[in-house]
Amino acid sequence: MAVACATMAATPALTALAQAPPATAAPPGSAPPGSGRRTAVLERGSLDSLVAVALATNPAIRAARSRVDAAHARITPAGARPDPMLMAGIQNLPVTEPGFADFMTMKMVGVGQTIPYPGKLSLRTRAAEHELAAAEVELVEARLAVEEAVKGSYYDLAYLDRALEIVERNRRLLLYFMRVTEARYGVGTGGQEDVLRVRVEAARLGEEAVALTEQRRAALARLNAVLDRPSETPVAEPVVPRRVARAAIADSAAQVRFASATLGARAADSPLPALATLQAAAVRQNSMLRAHEAMIAAQAARVELAQKEHLPDFDISVSYGHRNGFSDMVSAQVSIPIPIQRGRKQDQLVAEASAELAALEAEHHERANTLRAEVARLHAELERDRAQLALYVKAILPQGQAALTSATAGYQVGRADFLSLLDTQATLFNYETSYFRVLSDFATTLAELERIVGEEIIQ
């Protein structure tokens, strides 16, 4: 009698699980496949508010902003003449009979000024202005990097929350399985191996829950570090924004198509711009390339300055001499350095500055190539994730649910053993968890690509 009751009790729960709606019944990113629509889907506002907080409080942004202030403060001094020199002293003081009786002895005061050769100060100013431009672009890059870091940690939290929900749903089911198998074993109609297997599976699920929970703590700490607040400050229900989720996967399986029937084909109807378009936009707008271009312009100004180093700066001085009992005197002087070591000094400075400019230009070319390759990699990863999500929605999840339905029906009529049912349920659990892992990876990769390109690429 107990066995019959246990079997009857098992039937509704297993049937409900087997008849759960497919993954695409809920909007992408809003709920685990098979769990129905979430009652409260948080849209992009919460993520935007976290990004706004990070942009206002992150120390890296404050540091970059201070470097902009420092670069701005260097412009005026770069174009200023050297400070004048005040001179005071005694001239022609006799050694044998010290005193001011000699008509040549003077108490003198004067002023001197170094006047750089025309064009040198403007070149120094130009170099400083380009350095300021580089610092301003680096501030933009710091803001983009912080925004990407917030999104990456936020999307990790979204995945981990969905994964923990799936773990909890499977834990409740395993607890029910445990009661059923123990009841059957108690009356002699079930084997001990069923009891042991469900306990092992429950323990494995507990291990998975521990790992996911600790990963969530670490992801929350990363997010809060970017927000410059305590590590355990909570974040309410992170969810992948709909614009991102819809770019990753269509709302229903009926809308999912592939570009061709070839094995390994991409998902059709990609919202991503063409690779060449993204690469051109990245080379044109990437903040690090723009900063590097500003540094190249600054170095070009330094090359011009080095080419003028052999041209003399002028030292001009005027002095007034007072003589006791005699008429006072005024003196004026102009000094010009003679570049007798131009080949060993000024020409080498030109060579050094030119070589550094050539190195920066070659490095810029290499960075542009690396940027194009990075855009290609991220673009391929996004298309890979879209294809994987399409396979999950179109085939893997529906077939996994169908396999669970078949195993449930077979178990109910005695044609399938309990271990097969348990294996099928565990497999579906892995599929559902992987679905959200791929969705989170897509969102994180998209955030990285948008940082590199310098703009949102999916509206």
Side-chain angles (χ1 to χ4, degrees):
M1 184 65 179
V3 176
C5 290
T7 304
M8 291 176 64
T11 300
L14 295 175
T15 302
L17 177 63
Q19 293 177 350
T24 51
S30 64
S35 66
R37 189 182 300 269
R38 291 175 61 89
T39 57
V41 178
L42 296 183
E43 288 299 339
R44 218 180 138 186
S46 60
L47 176 56
D48 282 346
S49 65
L50 291 174
V51 169
V53 170
L55 294 179
T57 63
N58 186 267
I61 293 178
R62 296 202 304 269
R65 190 176 293 117
S66 294
R67 290 191 178 95
V68 170
D69 295 339
H72 188 274
R74 285 194 291 268
I75 293 178
T76 300
R81 289 178 178 176
D83 292 332
M85 297 291 293
L86 179 64
M87 299 173 289
I90 299 174
Q91 189 173 5
N92 301 327
L93 182 69
V95 176
T96 56
E97 297 180 5
F100 294 94
D102 192 287
F103 76 97
M104 294 185 63
T105 302
M106 294 184 295
K107 293 174 283 186
M108 59 178 296
V109 63
V111 63
Q113 174 69 58
T114 299
I115 301 177
Y117 194 88
K120 288 185 177 181
L121 293 182
S122 62
L123 287 172
R124 292 193 181 104
T125 301
R126 190 196 310 172
E129 288 172 344
H130 288 306
E131 289 174 349
L132 171 61
E136 290 174 338
V137 180
E138 287 170 355
L139 173 59
V140 173
E141 173 63 19
R143 294 171 63 88
L144 291 173
V146 165
E147 183 175 351
E148 180 196 350
V150 170
K151 290 180 178 179
S153 299
Y154 182 87
Y155 295 148
D156 273 348
L157 287 176
Y159 155 68
L160 292 165
D161 282 355
R162 303 296 84 74
L164 285 168
E165 288 177 3
I166 297 171
V167 167
E168 176 59 25
R169 181 157 47 86
N170 281 269
R171 185 192 68 84
R172 292 195 298 266
L173 184 59
L174 284 176
L175 288 177
Y176 185 79
F177 284 167
M178 190 179 298
R179 291 195 296 269
V180 171
T181 55
E182 288 175 350
R184 288 188 171 188
Y185 179 65
V187 297
T189 58
Q192 186 182 24
E193 65 274 9
D194 290 350
V195 177
L196 295 176
R197 179 59 186 271
V198 74
R199 287 181 177 176
V200 169
E201 189 64 23
R204 188 199 65 79
L205 201 62
E207 178 189 24
E208 183 74 13
V210 168
L212 291 171
T213 300
E214 295 305 321
Q215 289 176 36
R216 192 187 191 283
R217 289 193 179 99
L220 182 61
R222 289 197 304 272
L223 176 58
N224 284 322
V226 181
L227 297 172
D228 193 26
R229 63 189 191 182
S231 296
E232 296 182 355
T233 304
V235 174
E237 297 190 78
V239 177
V240 174
R242 286 191 64 81
R243 80 169 183 97
V244 177
R246 284 182 170 177
I249 185 66
D251 285 340
S252 68
Q255 297 174 305
V256 175
R257 300 184 303 108
F258 289 90
S260 70
T262 306
L263 187 65
R266 288 180 170 179
D269 306 319
S270 175
L272 300 174
L275 175 58
T277 301
L278 287 174
Q279 288 175 325
V283 171
R284 184 176 62 254
Q285 299 173 173
N286 180 262
S287 54
M288 294 309 295
L289 275 186
R290 299 290 74 74
H292 202 251
E293 287 174 354
M295 296 306 297
I296 290 175
Q299 185 61 29
R302 294 190 192 97
V303 170
E304 291 186 52
L305 181 61
Q307 291 170 343
K308 288 180 176 290
E309 281 299 319
H310 71 282
L311 299 174
D313 298 337
F314 301 90
D315 287 325
I316 300 176
S317 63
V318 177
S319 61
Y320 178 84
H322 173 69
R323 299 188 297 172
N324 290 342
F326 300 95
S327 62
D328 295 342
M329 303 182 72
V330 175
S331 301
Q333 180 175 303
V334 176
S335 301
I336 300 176
I338 301 174
I340 61 175
Q341 300 188 74
R342 177 176 175 178
R344 299 176 58 187
K345 187 176 179 181
Q346 288 87 354
D347 289 352
Q348 294 305 309
L349 293 176
V350 173
E352 182 270 336
S354 299
E356 183 62 27
L357 177 61
L360 287 172
E361 290 173 340
E363 188 179 56
H364 186 77
H365 187 74
E366 187 272 337
R367 289 189 181 188
N369 288 339
T370 300
L371 184 65
R372 293 187 186 93
E374 187 69 4
V375 170
R377 178 185 69 82
L378 295 173
H379 187 272
E381 289 184 2
L382 289 173
E383 292 293 1
R384 177 203 64 195
D385 291 341
R386 290 187 68 252
Q388 288 179 337
L389 290 169
L391 288 171
Y392 274 112
V393 170
K394 197 75 173 178
I396 296 175
L397 287 172
Q399 290 171 10
Q401 291 170 342
L404 181 59
T405 301
S406 177
T408 301
Y411 177 72
Q412 290 170 350
V413 299
R415 291 199 305 267
D417 59 57
F418 177 73
L419 296 183
S420 297
L421 175 62
L422 200 60
D423 286 340
T424 305
Q425 183 269 335
T427 300
L428 183 58
F429 160 76
N430 291 331
Y431 289 158
E432 292 177 341
T433 304
S434 296
Y435 170 87
F436 282 107
R437 177 73 272 176
V438 176
L439 180 61
S440 173
D441 289 344
F442 177 90
T444 301
T445 303
L446 179 62
E448 183 179 359
L449 181 58
E450 289 181 337
R451 175 187 64 80
I452 289 176
V453 174
E455 63 182 7
E456 287 190 353
I457 61 176
I458 293 177
Q459 304 300 325

